[in-house]
Coordinates of all heavy atoms in Angstrom, one line a residue:
L19 N 13.4 9.8 -4.8 CA 12.1 9.5 -4.7 C 11.3 10.8 -4.3 O 10.3 11.2 -4.8 CB 11.7 8.4 -3.7 CG 10.3 7.9 -3.8 CD1 9.8 7.5 -5.1 CD2 10.2 6.7 -2.8
A20 N 11.9 11.5 -3.3 CA 11.3 12.8 -2.8 C 11.3 13.8 -3.9 O 10.3 14.5 -4.1 CB 12.1 13.2 -1.6
A21 N 12.3 13.9 -4.7 CA 12.4 14.8 -5.7 C 11.4 14.5 -6.9 O 10.7 15.4 -7.4 CB 13.8 14.8 -6.4
I22 N 11.2 13.2 -7.1 CA 10.2 12.8 -8.1 C 8.8 13.2 -7.6 O 8.0 13.7 -8.4 CB 10.3 11.2 -8.4 CG1 11.6 10.9 -9.1 CG2 9.1 10.8 -9.1 CD1 11.9 9.5 -9.2
R23 N 8.5 12.9 -6.4 CA 7.2 13.2 -5.8 C 6.9 14.7 -5.8 O 5.9 15.2 -6.1 CB 7.1 12.6 -4.4 CG 6.8 11.1 -4.4 CD 6.6 10.7 -2.9 NE 6.2 9.3 -3.0 CZ 6.5 8.5 -2.0 NH1 7.1 8.9 -0.9 NH2 6.1 7.2 -2.0
A24 N 7.9 15.5 -5.5 CA 7.8 16.9 -5.4 C 7.6 17.5 -6.8 O 7.0 18.6 -6.9 CB 9.1 17.6 -4.7
S25 N 8.1 16.9 -7.9 CA 8.0 17.5 -9.2 C 6.6 17.5 -9.7 O 6.3 18.2 -10.6 CB 8.8 16.6 -10.2 OG 8.2 15.4 -10.5
K26 N 5.7 16.7 -9.2 CA 4.3 16.7 -9.6 C 4.2 16.2 -11.1 O 3.2 16.3 -11.7 CB 3.6 18.0 -9.4 CG 3.6 18.6 -8.1 CD 2.6 17.9 -7.2 CE 2.6 18.7 -5.9 NZ 2.2 18.0 -4.7
A27 N 5.3 15.6 -11.6 CA 5.3 15.1 -12.9 C 4.7 13.7 -13.0 O 4.3 13.2 -14.1 CB 6.7 15.1 -13.5
F28 N 4.6 13.0 -11.9 CA 4.1 11.7 -11.9 C 2.9 11.6 -11.0 O 2.8 12.3 -9.9 CB 5.2 10.7 -11.3 CG 6.4 10.6 -12.3 CD1 7.5 11.4 -12.1 CD2 6.4 9.7 -13.3 CE1 8.6 11.3 -12.9 CE2 7.5 9.6 -14.1 CZ 8.6 10.4 -13.9
I29 N 2.0 10.7 -11.2 CA 0.8 10.5 -10.5 C 0.9 9.1 -9.8 O 1.2 8.1 -10.5 CB -0.4 10.5 -11.4 CG1 -0.6 11.8 -12.1 CG2 -1.7 10.2 -10.6 CD1 -1.6 11.8 -13.2
E30 N 0.8 9.1 -8.4 CA 0.8 7.8 -7.8 C -0.6 7.3 -7.7 O -1.5 7.9 -7.1 CB 1.3 8.0 -6.4 CG 2.8 8.4 -6.3 CD 3.4 8.5 -4.9 OE1 3.2 7.5 -4.2 OE2 3.9 9.6 -4.6
E31 N -0.8 6.2 -8.3 CA -2.2 5.5 -8.4 C -2.1 4.1 -7.7 O -1.2 3.4 -7.9 CB -2.6 5.3 -9.8 CG -2.9 6.6 -10.5 CD -3.4 6.4 -12.0 OE1 -3.4 5.3 -12.4 OE2 -3.7 7.4 -12.6
P32 N -3.1 3.8 -6.9 CA -3.2 2.5 -6.3 C -3.4 1.5 -7.4 O -4.0 1.7 -8.4 CB -4.3 2.5 -5.3 CG -5.2 3.6 -5.8 CD -4.2 4.7 -6.5
N33 N -2.8 0.2 -7.1 CA -3.0 -0.9 -8.1 C -4.4 -1.5 -7.9 O -5.2 -1.1 -7.0 CB -1.9 -1.9 -8.0 CG -1.9 -2.6 -6.6 OD1 -2.9 -2.6 -5.9 ND2 -0.8 -3.1 -6.3
N34 N -4.8 -2.4 -8.7 CA -6.1 -3.0 -8.8 C -6.4 -3.8 -7.4 O -7.6 -3.7 -6.9 CB -6.3 -4.0 -9.9 CG -6.3 -3.2 -11.2 OD1 -6.7 -2.0 -11.3 ND2 -6.0 -3.9 -12.3
V35 N -5.4 -4.4 -6.8 CA -5.6 -5.1 -5.6 C -6.0 -4.0 -4.5 O -6.9 -4.3 -3.7 CB -4.3 -5.9 -5.2 CG1 -4.5 -6.5 -3.8 CG2 -4.1 -7.0 -6.2
T36 N -5.3 -2.9 -4.4 CA -5.5 -1.9 -3.4 C -6.9 -1.3 -3.6 O -7.7 -1.1 -2.7 CB -4.4 -0.8 -3.5 OG1 -3.2 -1.4 -3.3 CG2 -4.7 0.2 -2.4
I37 N -7.3 -1.1 -4.9 CA -8.6 -0.5 -5.2 C -9.7 -1.5 -4.7 O -10.7 -1.0 -4.1 CB -8.7 -0.2 -6.7 CG1 -7.7 1.0 -7.0 CG2 -10.2 0.2 -7.0 CD1 -7.6 1.3 -8.5
S38 N -9.5 -2.7 -4.9 CA -10.5 -3.8 -4.5 C -10.6 -3.8 -3.1 O -11.8 -3.9 -2.6 CB -10.1 -5.1 -5.1 OG -10.2 -5.2 -6.5
A39 N -9.5 -3.7 -2.4 CA -9.6 -3.7 -0.9 C -10.3 -2.5 -0.3 O -11.1 -2.7 0.6 CB -8.1 -3.8 -0.4
I40 N -10.0 -1.4 -0.9 CA -10.7 -0.2 -0.5 C -12.2 -0.2 -0.7 O -13.1 0.1 0.2 CB -10.1 1.1 -1.2 CG1 -8.7 1.3 -0.7 CG2 -11.0 2.4 -1.0 CD1 -7.9 2.4 -1.5
Q41 N -12.6 -0.7 -1.9 CA -14.0 -0.9 -2.2 C -14.6 -1.9 -1.2 O -15.8 -1.7 -0.8 CB -14.2 -1.3 -3.6 CG -13.9 -0.2 -4.6 CD -13.8 -0.8 -6.1 OE1 -13.8 -1.9 -6.3 NE2 -13.9 0.2 -7.0
E42 N -14.0 -2.9 -0.9 CA -14.5 -4.0 0.0 C -14.8 -3.3 1.4 O -15.9 -3.5 2.0 CB -13.5 -5.1 0.2 CG -14.0 -6.2 1.1 CD -13.0 -7.3 1.2 OE1 -12.4 -7.7 0.2 OE2 -12.8 -7.9 2.3
L43 N -13.9 -2.6 1.9 CA -14.1 -1.9 3.2 C -15.1 -0.9 3.2 O -15.9 -0.8 4.1 CB -12.7 -1.3 3.7 CG -11.6 -2.3 4.0 CD1 -10.3 -1.6 4.3 CD2 -12.0 -3.2 5.1
E44 N -15.2 -0.1 2.1 CA -16.3 1.0 2.0 C -17.6 0.3 1.9 O -18.6 0.9 2.3 CB -16.0 1.8 0.8 CG -14.8 2.7 0.9 CD -14.5 3.5 -0.3 OE1 -14.9 3.2 -1.4 OE2 -13.7 4.5 -0.2
A45 N -17.7 -0.9 1.4 CA -19.0 -1.7 1.3 C -19.4 -2.3 2.7 O -20.4 -3.0 2.8 CB -18.9 -2.7 0.2
G46 N -18.5 -2.2 3.7 CA -18.8 -2.8 4.9 C -18.3 -4.2 5.1 O -18.7 -4.9 6.1
R47 N -17.7 -4.8 4.1 CA -17.2 -6.1 4.2 C -15.8 -6.0 4.7 O -15.1 -5.0 4.9 CB -17.2 -6.8 2.8 CG -18.6 -6.9 2.3 CD -18.6 -7.7 0.9 NE -17.6 -7.3 0.0 CZ -17.8 -6.4 -1.0 NH1 -19.0 -5.8 -1.1 NH2 -16.9 -6.2 -1.8
G48 N -15.2 -7.2 5.1 CA -13.9 -7.2 5.6 C -13.9 -7.8 7.0 O -14.9 -8.2 7.5
T49 N -12.8 -8.0 7.6 CA -12.6 -8.7 8.8 C -12.1 -7.7 9.9 O -11.3 -6.9 9.6 CB -11.6 -9.8 8.7 OG1 -12.1 -10.7 7.7 CG2 -11.5 -10.6 10.0
R50 N -12.7 -7.8 11.1 CA -12.2 -7.0 12.2 C -11.7 -8.0 13.3 O -12.2 -9.1 13.5 CB -13.3 -6.2 12.8 CG -13.8 -5.1 11.8 CD -14.7 -4.1 12.5 NE -15.2 -3.1 11.6 CZ -14.6 -1.9 11.6 NH1 -13.6 -1.5 12.3 NH2 -15.1 -1.0 10.7

Side-chain angles (χ1 to χ4, degrees):
L19 188 57
I22 290 169
R23 285 181 170 155
S25 74
K26 306 280 189 208
F28 295 91
I29 300 168
E30 292 184 54
E31 295 181 353
N33 63 24
N34 291 337
V35 173
T36 303
I37 292 170
S38 295
I40 291 169
Q41 290 171 342
E42 180 180 321
L43 292 174
E44 287 175 343
R47 296 186 313 269
T49 302
R50 292 190 182 263

